[in-house]
Amino acid sequence: MSDAELTVEVTGPVATVTIHNPARRNAMTAAMWRQLPTLLDGLEDDPAVRVLVLTGANGTFCAGADLGDLDELLDAGDVSIAVAAEERLAGFAKPTVAVIEGACVGGGCQLAVGCDLRIAAEGARFGVPPARLGLVYPAPTTRRLARLVGPSAAKYLLFTGELIDAERALRVGLVDELLPADRLAGRVGEVTAAISARSQLSVAAAKEIVDGRAGDDRIAWWHRQVRDSGEAREGLAAANERRPPRFGWAPPGR
């Protein structure tokens, strides 16, 4: 393993992507930002993968973007490699779960907000520090943060650049669940197992619709998938027979 890279481990239906840059508290380098979209393409195309977990190595999620690459990020503005990576993560077709310990700051918060769900350990800390550095947070990132936590909480984070604790992150909706560190892995396993066992047709359609990416034609396509795939018939039969359903729908290739 190199000093700074993203690693992937696939266990059953769950792919875990780990941010690894221990010398800089898992800060994202330019190479890591570039690596993420390609990595996600492969996992999205893997039919065995049903859920993506994003986490950080050694008890830290991600302390931000590596400031050694700051000039490259500044010159690109809203078309930077960091925004491209975030947008690819947000558009990933399968459910994504950020599992957060320690620092989740700047680019780390950007990645966490790009995930569908965020489960954190007590003691995690969150922050959006551009105002401390005289930077403008990317517009797509700012809008995504505001949709998640609301305008007031987003403005507080952006205006002050202050870190907030995990309890406050839970209150404002930045975090979905908060647990003691020794219960984090077990709970993540429960959540990913539940998602993996559900109809992937239902899950994929819900993600598109909630994210606002499904127009009327696409919604009609989803309903045709329900009719043609037999998923609903299998779900109802399993309920009547009191057995686990055997859902078989898989998304068509990209």
Side-chain angles (χ1 to χ4, degrees):
M1 182 183 295
S2 68
D3 286 342
E5 67 174 353
L6 303 175
T7 65
V8 182
E9 180 180 357
V10 178
T11 304
V14 180
T16 300
V17 176
T18 302
I19 305 166
H20 184 272
N21 186 4
R24 295 185 177 272
R25 294 195 304 155
N26 296 336
M28 290 283 290
T29 65
M32 293 163 77
W33 288 117
R34 290 192 184 93
Q35 182 188 0
L36 185 57
T38 301
L39 183 156
L40 293 173
D41 287 346
L43 294 174
E44 189 171 279
D45 290 341
D46 185 343
V49 172
R50 293 190 166 197
V51 185
L52 175 76
V53 169
L54 179 65
T55 193
N58 304 320
T60 297
F61 184 73
C62 174
D66 192 320
L67 294 183
D69 300 315
L70 184 60
D71 286 344
E72 180 175 354
L73 297 175
L74 288 179
D75 290 344
D78 277 0
V79 294
S80 73
I81 53 176
V83 175
E86 174 198 358
E87 292 294 297
R88 182 64 187 91
L89 178 61
F92 192 71
K94 303 169 185 181
T96 54
V97 183
V99 179
I100 302 162
E101 294 182 90
C104 181
V105 179
C109 200
Q110 186 175 355
L111 290 172
V113 170
C115 290
D116 297 313
L117 302 173
R118 286 149 295 280
I119 302 176
E122 294 171 351
R125 294 178 69 78
F126 301 80
V128 184
R132 290 179 176 269
L133 303 170
L135 305 177
V136 174
Y137 211 39
T141 310
T142 301
R143 295 186 185 110
R144 184 169 288 114
L145 176 66
R147 287 195 300 271
L148 181 63
V149 303
S152 181
K155 287 174 181 176
Y156 178 87
L157 289 165
L158 289 160
F159 292 175
T160 68
E162 292 182 353
L163 298 181
I164 63 171
D165 60 26
E167 289 76 13
R168 182 166 182 174
L170 180 66
R171 288 198 303 272
V172 301
L174 185 55
V175 165
D176 298 296
E177 293 192 39
L178 182 61
L179 300 114
D182 61 358
R183 291 180 50 204
L184 188 63
R187 180 57 182 153
V188 171
E190 292 172 354
V191 172
T192 55
I195 295 171
S196 299
R198 305 301 183 240
S199 167
Q200 297 307 291
L201 190 161
S202 301
V203 170
K207 176 164 179 169
E208 276 195 14
I209 294 167
V210 170
D211 288 350
R213 292 185 285 112
D216 291 344
D217 289 346
R218 182 66 169 177
I219 292 170
W221 182 87
W222 281 117
H223 287 298
R224 288 196 299 274
Q225 289 289 299
V226 172
R227 182 193 63 206
D228 298 341
S229 67
E231 289 284 276
R233 287 188 293 275
E234 167 59 19
L236 290 172
N240 289 332
E241 296 165 17
R242 299 188 179 183
R243 61 168 173 82
R246 296 183 290 270
F247 293 121
W249 182 88
R254 284 191 299 125

